[in-house]
Amino acid sequence: GTDPAGAGGGGAPAPAPAAGSGIGTLEVSVRSACIFDETVPSDAEPESVFGRTSRGAGGGDHYVRISSRRGRSAAAGEVASRRTKTVMQTSRPVFNTERMAFVVPHYGAEYKLEVVDADTDSPVGTALLSAQGLLHGQRDAMLAGGPVRLLLGLLGSTPGPRRVRLELRTGVRTGFGLDYYASPGTSGWVEVDVRLLEDASLFRSASPRRCPPRDGEDFDV
């Protein structure tokens, strides 16, 4: 994914992750999506993907579904977690959802975002968020913010949500791990505000808590 120009957010107050319930809390607000008139190759340059648009009106009815996976294998159980409202008759739907919160069980956790055709209940494109990728992005933003922001981050300041655009891939089976990256094409993008609030008791405590084990997925991002 990529940060659109001018993206970012303030450190709005948020509930602290419950101690002992994974590694923290994922917060997601789905803003908008764009479903292309034609699929582009999955190896296209990011600028040609995130700068692309579509015809807009008359492009179908869509909603976004967010799912996570439990277990080690690609066939492991999938838990459909949340979905947005349906936006009618456009290939550029605007959702602007309230914040949706998910407990993140471990550092290898992944969350699948599907833009779904409401008439057929079939995905038109799939995006992927990983706990590792989110934390890398947040720490890069902290480092880029200069010494004051870096110091505040080290002292435990709550990061603000980042607005990012994620590729919507086609032809995926599960949408998790290597399956997502093996997709042949990109059908659009979805824009979200997102942050991962780590449980500070894992690393900033007189009695640090043991890190929850991963599920042993085949690929980490």
Side-chain angles (χ1 to χ4, degrees):
T2 185
D3 289 315
S21 58
I23 60 106
T25 302
L26 171 67
E27 296 181 348
V28 183
S29 298
V30 182
R31 291 303 171 204
S32 63
C34 178
I35 297 95
F36 299 156
D37 300 332
E38 296 180 348
T39 300
V40 301
S42 58
D43 59 356
E45 293 296 324
E47 295 80 5
S48 68
V49 173
F50 298 117
R52 187 179 291 259
T53 186
S54 62
R55 64 183 182 277
D61 308 333
H62 303 92
Y63 66 90
V64 175
R65 178 169 60 209
I66 303 178
S67 307
S68 59
R69 181 173 64 175
R70 293 176 180 166
R72 293 176 176 269
S73 69
E78 182 178 317
V79 181
S81 302
R82 304 285 176 84
R83 59 156 288 177
T84 69
K85 65 184 179 181
T86 299
V87 178
M88 313 296 283
Q89 289 300 303
T90 179
S91 58
R92 295 202 298 264
V94 175
F95 300 100
N96 284 334
T97 67
E98 297 297 321
R99 183 192 67 197
M100 294 181 275
F102 307 86
V103 172
V104 182
H106 51 76
Y107 284 106
E110 294 178 324
Y111 296 83
K112 177 172 65 175
L113 288 76
E114 298 170 293
V115 176
V116 180
D117 184 325
D119 294 328
T120 63
D121 205 34
S122 299
V124 298
T126 301
L128 187 66
L129 287 171
S130 72
Q132 282 189 328
L134 288 168
L135 290 172
H136 282 313
Q138 288 175 185
R139 285 162 184 162
D140 286 347
M142 183 174 66
L143 290 170
V148 173
R149 186 170 180 183
L150 177 60
L151 177 61
L152 290 174
L154 293 174
L155 292 174
S157 176
T158 301
R162 295 184 304 126
R163 183 161 296 180
V164 298
R165 285 183 180 175
L166 306 167
E167 291 184 50
L168 292 171
R169 295 289 183 90
T170 62
V172 299
R173 294 179 296 107
T174 68
F176 295 102
L178 287 174
D179 177 57
Y180 173 79
Y181 295 97
S183 163
T186 300
S187 61
W189 48 258
V190 61
E191 186 171 78
V192 299
D193 292 345
V194 61
R195 65 176 169 179
L196 200 165
L197 300 170
E198 284 185 277
D199 184 351
S201 70
L202 289 167
F203 48 84
R204 193 183 298 114
S205 170
S207 301
R209 182 165 61 86
R210 185 177 178 82
C211 182
R214 299 168 182 254
D215 283 336
E217 300 297 349
D218 55 356
F219 188 57
D220 287 332
V221 178

